[in-house]
Amino acid sequence: MEKELNEEVLLPTDTFASEIDSGLSASPKAISSRYFYDAEGDRLFQKIMQLDEYYLSRAEYAIFEEHKELLLQYFADQGTAFHLMEFGAGDGWKTKVLLRHFTEQHAKFDYRPIDISGNVLQELESSLQTELPALQVQGMEGEYFEVLNQMQKTDGQRKVVLFLGSNIGNFRQHQAISFLSSLRASLNEGDMVLIGFDMKKDPHVIRDAYDDPWGVTRDFNMNLLNRLNKELGANFDLTKFKHYQSYDPQSGECKSYLISLAEQEVTVQATEATYYFKKWEPIHVEISRKFDFETIDELAASSGFGVVKNLRDTDEYFTDSLWVAT
Ligand code: AVJ
Protein backbone atom coordinates (compact mmCIF):
# COMPACT_ATOMS: atom_id res chain seq x y z
CA MET A 1 0.00 0.00 0.00
CA GLU A 2 1.93 3.01 -1.22
CA LYS A 3 -1.08 5.30 -1.42
CA GLU A 4 -1.51 8.76 0.00
CA LEU A 5 -4.36 8.50 2.46
CA ASN A 6 -7.06 11.07 2.89
CA GLU A 7 -5.95 12.74 6.12
CA GLU A 8 -9.39 13.54 7.46
CA VAL A 9 -10.94 10.12 7.37
CA LEU A 10 -8.02 7.80 7.35
CA LEU A 11 -5.31 6.62 9.66
CA PRO A 12 -1.85 6.24 8.18
CA THR A 13 -2.04 2.54 8.95
CA ASP A 14 -1.00 0.82 5.76
CA THR A 15 -0.95 -2.63 7.29
CA PHE A 16 -4.50 -2.17 8.51
CA ALA A 17 -5.71 -1.11 5.05
CA SER A 18 -3.75 -3.76 3.18
CA GLU A 19 -4.90 -6.54 5.52
CA ILE A 20 -8.47 -5.43 5.05
CA ASP A 21 -7.91 -5.37 1.30
CA SER A 22 -6.60 -8.92 1.17
CA GLY A 23 -9.23 -10.14 3.62
CA LEU A 24 -12.13 -8.72 1.63
CA SER A 25 -10.65 -9.83 -1.70
CA ALA A 26 -10.09 -13.39 -0.50
CA SER A 27 -12.48 -16.25 -0.89
CA PRO A 28 -13.75 -16.99 1.71
CA LYS A 29 -13.59 -13.44 3.12
CA ALA A 30 -11.93 -12.95 6.50
CA ILE A 31 -10.78 -10.12 8.77
CA SER A 32 -8.59 -10.64 11.83
CA SER A 33 -10.26 -10.22 15.23
CA ARG A 34 -7.33 -8.04 16.31
CA TYR A 35 -9.14 -5.18 14.57
CA PHE A 36 -12.07 -5.34 17.00
CA TYR A 37 -10.26 -3.27 19.57
CA ASP A 38 -10.66 0.45 18.95
CA ALA A 39 -11.94 2.55 21.87
CA GLU A 40 -15.53 1.42 21.19
CA GLY A 41 -14.40 -2.20 20.82
CA ASP A 42 -12.58 -2.00 24.18
CA ARG A 43 -15.74 -0.59 25.76
CA LEU A 44 -17.95 -3.31 24.28
CA PHE A 45 -15.56 -6.05 25.37
CA GLN A 46 -15.68 -4.65 28.93
CA LYS A 47 -19.46 -4.92 28.67
CA ILE A 48 -19.20 -8.53 27.44
CA MET A 49 -17.07 -9.41 30.46
CA GLN A 50 -19.88 -8.24 32.72
CA LEU A 51 -22.48 -10.48 31.09
CA ASP A 52 -23.67 -13.55 33.02
CA GLU A 53 -23.29 -15.53 29.79
CA TYR A 54 -19.60 -14.65 29.40
CA TYR A 55 -18.22 -16.95 32.11
CA LEU A 56 -14.56 -16.77 31.06
CA SER A 57 -13.36 -13.76 33.07
CA ARG A 58 -15.16 -14.80 36.25
CA ALA A 59 -13.77 -18.33 36.02
CA GLU A 60 -10.22 -17.06 35.68
CA TYR A 61 -10.76 -14.55 38.50
CA ALA A 62 -11.88 -17.44 40.74
CA ILE A 63 -8.80 -19.48 39.79
CA PHE A 64 -6.55 -16.58 40.80
CA GLU A 65 -8.39 -16.03 44.10
CA GLU A 66 -8.03 -19.69 44.94
CA HIS A 67 -4.44 -20.21 43.81
CA LYS A 68 -2.67 -16.87 44.34
CA GLU A 69 -0.44 -18.30 47.13
CA LEU A 70 0.57 -21.27 45.02
CA LEU A 71 1.26 -19.06 42.01
CA LEU A 72 3.55 -16.82 44.04
CA GLN A 73 5.44 -19.89 45.28
CA TYR A 74 6.06 -20.99 41.71
CA PHE A 75 6.85 -17.52 40.30
CA ALA A 76 9.25 -16.51 43.09
CA ASP A 77 10.63 -19.88 43.94
CA GLN A 78 12.90 -19.45 46.99
CA GLY A 79 12.22 -15.70 47.01
CA THR A 80 13.87 -14.97 43.63
CA ALA A 81 13.07 -11.57 42.08
CA PHE A 82 11.06 -11.68 38.86
CA HIS A 83 9.52 -9.53 36.13
CA LEU A 84 5.80 -10.16 35.80
CA MET A 85 4.95 -9.38 32.17
CA GLU A 86 1.47 -9.48 30.70
CA PHE A 87 0.33 -9.64 27.08
CA GLY A 88 -2.88 -7.75 26.39
CA ALA A 89 -3.36 -6.51 29.92
CA GLY A 90 -6.74 -4.82 29.49
CA ASP A 91 -8.18 -3.31 32.66
CA GLY A 92 -6.29 -5.70 34.93
CA TRP A 93 -9.39 -6.81 36.81
CA LYS A 94 -8.12 -10.40 37.17
CA THR A 95 -4.42 -9.63 37.35
CA LYS A 96 -5.00 -7.27 40.28
CA VAL A 97 -5.90 -10.31 42.41
CA LEU A 98 -2.31 -11.49 41.94
CA LEU A 99 -0.72 -8.04 42.10
CA ARG A 100 -2.48 -7.27 45.38
CA HIS A 101 -1.47 -10.56 46.96
CA PHE A 102 2.13 -10.41 45.72
CA THR A 103 2.48 -6.83 46.98
CA GLU A 104 1.04 -7.73 50.39
CA GLN A 105 3.56 -10.57 50.60
CA HIS A 106 6.39 -8.14 49.75
CA ALA A 107 7.37 -10.28 46.77
CA LYS A 108 10.37 -8.96 44.83
CA PHE A 109 8.86 -8.25 41.42
CA ASP A 110 7.81 -5.54 39.01
CA TYR A 111 4.83 -5.55 36.67
CA ARG A 112 5.20 -4.91 32.93
CA PRO A 113 1.90 -4.91 31.09
CA ILE A 114 2.12 -4.94 27.29
CA ASP A 115 -0.80 -3.77 25.18
CA ILE A 116 -1.38 -2.42 21.67
CA SER A 117 -3.59 0.27 23.17
CA GLY A 118 -1.61 3.05 24.86
CA ASN A 119 -4.88 4.32 26.22
CA VAL A 120 -5.60 1.03 27.99
CA LEU A 121 -2.09 1.06 29.48
CA GLN A 122 -2.42 4.58 30.82
CA GLU A 123 -5.71 3.79 32.53
CA LEU A 124 -4.26 0.62 34.00
CA GLU A 125 -1.17 2.38 35.27
CA SER A 126 -3.09 5.18 36.90
CA SER A 127 -5.56 2.81 38.59
CA LEU A 128 -2.63 0.76 39.90
CA GLN A 129 -0.95 3.87 41.23
CA THR A 130 -4.03 4.57 43.33
CA GLU A 131 -4.80 1.00 44.38
CA LEU A 132 -1.29 -0.37 44.83
CA PRO A 133 1.08 2.60 45.21
CA ALA A 134 3.96 0.34 46.30
CA LEU A 135 3.85 -1.69 43.09
CA GLN A 136 6.49 -0.95 40.44
CA VAL A 137 4.78 -0.72 37.05
CA GLN A 138 6.27 -0.19 33.61
CA GLY A 139 3.74 -0.29 30.79
CA MET A 140 5.02 -1.26 27.33
CA GLU A 141 3.00 -0.19 24.31
CA GLY A 142 3.19 -2.30 21.17
CA GLU A 143 2.40 -5.49 19.32
CA TYR A 144 3.27 -8.61 21.32
CA PHE A 145 5.80 -9.69 18.73
CA GLU A 146 7.52 -6.31 18.59
CA VAL A 147 7.78 -6.11 22.34
CA LEU A 148 8.87 -9.76 22.41
CA ASN A 149 11.78 -8.94 20.16
CA GLN A 150 12.72 -5.98 22.33
CA MET A 151 12.72 -8.11 25.46
CA GLN A 152 16.27 -8.33 26.70
CA LYS A 153 17.63 -11.81 27.10
CA THR A 154 20.52 -10.42 29.08
CA ASP A 155 18.56 -9.23 32.10
CA GLY A 156 19.33 -12.06 34.49
CA GLN A 157 16.04 -11.72 36.34
CA ARG A 158 13.41 -14.38 35.79
CA LYS A 159 10.51 -13.48 33.53
CA VAL A 160 7.00 -14.69 34.14
CA VAL A 161 4.67 -13.96 31.23
CA LEU A 162 0.90 -13.85 31.66
CA PHE A 163 -1.27 -14.50 28.62
CA LEU A 164 -4.73 -14.63 30.10
CA GLY A 165 -8.39 -14.63 29.16
CA SER A 166 -8.06 -17.39 26.55
CA ASN A 167 -6.64 -14.83 24.14
CA ILE A 168 -4.60 -17.81 22.89
CA GLY A 169 -7.90 -19.12 21.52
CA ASN A 170 -7.78 -16.48 18.79
CA PHE A 171 -4.97 -18.49 17.17
CA ARG A 172 -5.31 -21.73 15.27
CA GLN A 173 -3.04 -24.50 16.57
CA HIS A 174 -0.17 -23.87 14.11
CA GLN A 175 -0.36 -20.10 14.74
CA ALA A 176 -0.39 -20.68 18.49
CA ILE A 177 2.69 -22.91 18.20
CA SER A 178 4.56 -20.30 16.19
CA PHE A 179 3.50 -17.53 18.59
CA LEU A 180 4.55 -19.52 21.65
CA SER A 181 7.80 -20.63 20.01
CA SER A 182 8.69 -16.97 19.41
CA LEU A 183 7.81 -16.27 23.00
CA ARG A 184 10.04 -19.16 24.07
CA ALA A 185 12.89 -17.79 21.94
CA SER A 186 12.87 -14.54 23.90
CA LEU A 187 12.90 -16.31 27.26
CA ASN A 188 15.61 -18.10 29.19
CA GLU A 189 15.40 -21.61 30.54
CA GLY A 190 13.49 -21.51 33.81
CA ASP A 191 11.34 -18.51 32.84
CA MET A 192 7.63 -19.19 33.15
CA VAL A 193 4.39 -18.47 31.35
CA LEU A 194 0.84 -18.66 32.66
CA ILE A 195 -1.69 -19.13 29.89
CA GLY A 196 -5.48 -18.99 30.20
CA PHE A 197 -7.37 -21.65 28.23
CA ASP A 198 -11.13 -21.81 27.84
CA MET A 199 -12.01 -25.50 27.94
CA LYS A 200 -14.43 -27.59 25.91
CA LYS A 201 -17.73 -27.85 27.76
CA ASP A 202 -21.49 -27.98 27.17
CA PRO A 203 -21.79 -26.49 23.67
CA HIS A 204 -24.87 -24.51 24.72
CA VAL A 205 -22.89 -22.73 27.42
CA ILE A 206 -20.29 -21.76 24.83
CA ARG A 207 -22.88 -20.63 22.27
CA ASP A 208 -24.58 -18.41 24.85
CA ALA A 209 -21.27 -16.80 25.79
CA TYR A 210 -20.66 -15.77 22.18
CA ASP A 211 -24.21 -14.96 21.15
CA ASP A 212 -25.72 -13.29 24.19
CA PRO A 213 -29.44 -12.44 24.16
CA TRP A 214 -28.69 -8.77 24.89
CA GLY A 215 -26.88 -8.29 21.60
CA VAL A 216 -23.67 -7.00 23.20
CA THR A 217 -21.56 -9.56 21.32
CA ARG A 218 -23.41 -8.68 18.12
CA ASP A 219 -22.58 -4.99 18.64
CA PHE A 220 -18.97 -5.92 19.44
CA ASN A 221 -18.66 -7.81 16.15
CA MET A 222 -20.57 -5.26 14.09
CA ASN A 223 -18.37 -2.49 15.48
CA LEU A 224 -15.65 -3.80 13.19
CA LEU A 225 -17.66 -2.52 10.21
CA ASN A 226 -18.17 0.82 11.97
CA ARG A 227 -14.45 1.02 12.46
CA LEU A 228 -13.77 0.34 8.78
CA ASN A 229 -16.26 3.07 7.90
CA LYS A 230 -14.63 5.57 10.26
CA GLU A 231 -10.96 4.76 9.82
CA LEU A 232 -10.70 3.47 6.26
CA GLY A 233 -13.50 5.45 4.67
CA ALA A 234 -15.60 2.36 3.94
CA ASN A 235 -19.32 2.53 3.27
CA PHE A 236 -20.67 -0.59 4.97
CA ASP A 237 -24.41 -0.39 5.58
CA LEU A 238 -24.73 -2.05 9.00
CA THR A 239 -28.37 -2.92 8.42
CA LYS A 240 -27.24 -5.20 5.59
CA PHE A 241 -25.09 -7.47 7.76
CA LYS A 242 -25.80 -9.73 10.70
CA HIS A 243 -23.69 -11.46 13.31
CA TYR A 244 -23.63 -15.27 13.32
CA GLN A 245 -21.67 -17.55 15.61
CA SER A 246 -21.04 -21.28 15.40
CA TYR A 247 -19.43 -23.86 17.66
CA ASP A 248 -17.99 -27.20 16.56
CA PRO A 249 -17.68 -29.45 19.62
CA GLN A 250 -15.26 -31.75 17.79
CA SER A 251 -12.59 -29.23 16.85
CA GLY A 252 -13.47 -26.84 19.69
CA GLU A 253 -13.68 -24.01 17.16
CA CYS A 254 -16.05 -21.23 18.07
CA LYS A 255 -16.28 -18.92 15.06
CA SER A 256 -17.92 -15.57 14.45
CA TYR A 257 -19.06 -14.26 11.13
CA LEU A 258 -20.63 -11.14 9.71
CA ILE A 259 -23.11 -12.30 7.08
CA SER A 260 -24.16 -10.19 4.12
CA LEU A 261 -27.96 -10.02 4.01
CA ALA A 262 -28.04 -8.91 0.39
CA GLU A 263 -26.08 -8.91 -2.80
CA GLN A 264 -24.14 -5.69 -2.42
CA GLU A 265 -20.98 -3.69 -3.09
CA VAL A 266 -18.85 -1.97 -0.49
CA THR A 267 -16.24 0.63 -1.33
CA VAL A 268 -13.22 1.37 0.86
CA GLN A 269 -11.41 4.66 0.21
CA ALA A 270 -8.17 3.59 1.89
CA THR A 271 -7.77 0.59 -0.39
CA GLU A 272 -9.30 2.34 -3.42
CA ALA A 273 -11.31 -0.78 -4.09
CA THR A 274 -14.85 -2.07 -4.26
CA TYR A 275 -15.75 -5.46 -2.82
CA TYR A 276 -18.67 -7.59 -3.93
CA PHE A 277 -20.82 -9.58 -1.55
CA LYS A 278 -23.21 -12.31 -2.52
CA LYS A 279 -26.40 -12.65 -0.52
CA TRP A 280 -25.55 -14.76 2.62
CA GLU A 281 -21.82 -14.47 2.02
CA PRO A 282 -19.93 -14.51 5.34
CA ILE A 283 -16.88 -12.56 6.50
CA HIS A 284 -15.10 -14.69 9.09
CA VAL A 285 -14.09 -12.31 11.89
CA GLU A 286 -13.03 -14.38 14.90
CA ILE A 287 -12.03 -17.79 16.11
CA SER A 288 -12.19 -18.48 19.87
CA ARG A 289 -10.90 -22.02 20.27
CA LYS A 290 -11.88 -24.22 23.17
CA PHE A 291 -9.26 -26.62 24.53
CA ASP A 292 -8.73 -29.97 26.18
CA PHE A 293 -5.69 -31.16 28.12
CA GLU A 294 -4.23 -33.11 25.19
CA THR A 295 -4.20 -29.95 23.07
CA ILE A 296 -2.61 -27.94 25.89
CA ASP A 297 0.12 -30.59 26.36
CA GLU A 298 0.78 -30.66 22.63
CA LEU A 299 1.06 -26.85 22.51
CA ALA A 300 3.55 -26.76 25.37
CA ALA A 301 5.66 -29.62 24.04
CA SER A 302 5.74 -28.23 20.48
CA SER A 303 6.87 -24.78 21.58
CA GLY A 304 9.61 -25.56 24.07
CA PHE A 305 7.79 -25.55 27.38
CA GLY A 306 6.95 -28.09 30.04
CA VAL A 307 3.60 -28.05 31.83
CA VAL A 308 4.17 -27.44 35.55
CA LYS A 309 0.61 -27.24 36.80
CA ASN A 310 -2.93 -26.88 35.49
CA LEU A 311 -5.16 -24.74 37.70
CA ARG A 312 -8.93 -25.03 37.26
CA ASP A 313 -12.11 -23.41 38.55
CA THR A 314 -14.72 -25.51 40.34
CA ASP A 315 -16.98 -25.73 37.25
CA GLU A 316 -13.93 -26.89 35.24
CA TYR A 317 -14.80 -24.31 32.60
CA PHE A 318 -11.36 -22.73 32.43
CA THR A 319 -7.71 -23.69 32.97
CA ASP A 320 -4.71 -21.53 33.77
CA SER A 321 -1.77 -23.61 32.68
CA LEU A 322 1.63 -22.81 34.21
CA TRP A 323 4.58 -23.66 31.98
CA VAL A 324 8.32 -23.47 32.37
CA ALA A 325 10.72 -22.80 29.51
CA THR A 326 12.76 -25.98 29.02
C1 AVJ B 1 -10.74 -11.37 24.27
C2 AVJ B 1 -10.27 -12.95 22.57
C3 AVJ B 1 -10.58 -13.69 24.82
O1 AVJ B 1 -12.47 -14.85 22.28
O2 AVJ B 1 -13.52 -14.94 24.17
C4 AVJ B 1 -15.58 -12.10 23.42
C5 AVJ B 1 -13.13 -11.95 22.62
N1 AVJ B 1 -15.23 -12.32 21.33
N2 AVJ B 1 -16.76 -12.30 22.81
C6 AVJ B 1 -12.88 -14.33 23.32
C7 AVJ B 1 -14.61 -12.13 22.47
C8 AVJ B 1 -16.56 -12.42 21.54
C9 AVJ B 1 -12.52 -12.88 23.62
N3 AVJ B 1 -11.05 -12.72 23.80
Side-chain angles (χ1 to χ4, degrees):
M1 286 286 317
E2 314 281 296
K3 289 161 199 149
E4 281 298 310
L5 302 181
N6 170 343
E7 290 140 50
E8 269 167 24
V9 206
L10 310 172
L11 279 178
T13 47
D14 285 1
T15 26
F16 183 21
S18 70
E19 279 196 26
I20 297 306
D21 183 46
S22 37
L24 292 180
S25 309
S27 179
K29 292 180 169 60
I31 297 177
S32 164
S33 59
R34 63 209 287 266
Y35 295 118
F36 282 156
Y37 304 93
D38 63 352
E40 180 65 1
D42 287 345
R43 190 188 70 82
L44 287 165
F45 182 58
Q46 296 289 331
K47 236 173 123 178
I48 288 176
M49 288 195 293
Q50 283 156 23
L51 297 172
D52 282 344
E53 290 79 9
Y54 196 76
Y55 56 83
L56 287 78
S57 319
R58 279 188 311 279
E60 194 167 41
Y61 186 95
I63 291 173
F64 288 178
E65 273 297 352
E66 170 139 12
H67 298 290
K68 56 194 178 192
E69 285 91 5
L70 187 67
L71 284 171
L72 182 57
Q73 280 170 27
Y74 279 116
F75 292 177
D77 93 285
Q78 321 292 335
T80 324
F82 62 97
H83 298 298
L84 186 65
M85 329 222 14
E86 179 167 8
F87 288 160
D91 71 350
W93 179 63
K94 293 163 295 182
T95 313
K96 281 175 184 173
V97 174
L98 302 182
L99 297 176
R100 209 172 292 125
H101 176 69
F102 296 178
T103 308
E104 281 164 12
Q105 298 300 308
H106 305 290
K108 285 182 268 165
F109 79 111
D110 66 359
Y111 176 53
R112 301 184 172 195
I114 303 164
D115 206 288
I116 30 173
S117 160
N119 192 35
V120 162
L121 281 179
Q122 262 167 21
E123 279 177 30
L124 177 60
E125 284 183 61
S126 79
S127 78
L128 284 170
Q129 206 146 48
T130 328
E131 292 169 47
L132 294 169
L135 177 70
Q136 281 193 50
V137 187
Q138 193 194 323
M140 301 165 92
E141 184 178 344
E143 299 273 344
Y144 304 150
F145 280 109
E146 280 170 25
V147 177
L148 268 184
N149 295 334
Q150 289 162 12
M151 276 160 82
Q152 294 287 318
K153 266 197 137 174
T154 46
D155 181 344
Q157 214 160 300
R158 165 183 264 184
K159 294 189 192 74
V160 177
V161 180
L162 307 177
F163 192 45
L164 308 179
S166 205
N167 281 319
I168 190 79
N170 282 170
F171 296 118
R172 292 171 189 283
Q173 187 78 344
H174 70 279
Q175 295 170 318
I177 290 172
S178 90
F179 176 82
L180 293 166
S181 303
S182 303
L183 170 57
R184 172 64 191 88
S186 58
L187 298 177
N188 295 307
E189 212 178 302
D191 287 344
M192 301 187 110
V193 298
L194 183 71
I195 307 182
F197 291 97
D198 193 24
M199 304 303 277
K200 289 179 174 172
K201 59 181 66 62
D202 182 342
H204 291 112
V205 172
I206 293 171
R207 292 253 311 252
D208 289 348
Y210 289 87
D211 196 8
D212 66 88
W214 323 105
V216 184
T217 309
R218 175 200 61 214
D219 292 349
F220 175 71
N221 282 260
M222 295 289 286
N223 177 57
L224 181 62
L225 301 183
N226 258 327
R227 186 176 181 195
L228 300 185
N229 286 350
K230 276 189 286 192
E231 293 185 32
L232 299 181
N235 65 349
F236 282 98
D237 176 349
L238 271 64
T239 65
K240 289 194 183 149
F241 287 87
K242 74 181 286 187
H243 159 243
Y244 173 74
Q245 181 268 334
S246 74
Y247 177 64
D248 173 359
Q250 227 165 16
S251 64
E253 290 182 349
C254 179
K255 292 181 179 173
S256 299
Y257 301 91
L258 295 170
I259 313 262
S260 175
L261 298 177
E263 185 180 349
Q264 57 182 318
E265 294 180 3
V266 173
T267 299
V268 181
Q269 285 182 44
T271 64
E272 294 177 356
T274 297
Y275 307 94
Y276 299 89
F277 289 83
K278 287 177 272 191
K279 192 173 185 179
W280 305 121
E281 184 175 353
I283 314 173
H284 174 225
V285 292
E286 188 175 47
I287 179 162
S288 302
R289 291 167 62 215
K290 306 305 162 200
F291 295 86
D292 50 36
F293 289 108
E294 291 72 44
T295 315
I296 294 176
D297 285 346
E298 188 194 312
L299 261 187
S302 318
S303 45
F305 293 95
V307 177
V308 176
K309 187 102 187 148
N310 285 318
L311 304 171
R312 313 175 71 176
D313 60 308
T314 47
D315 292 327
E316 306 189 337
Y317 276 7
F318 203 90
T319 297
D320 278 290
S321 192
L322 179 65
W323 299 355
V324 65
T326 52

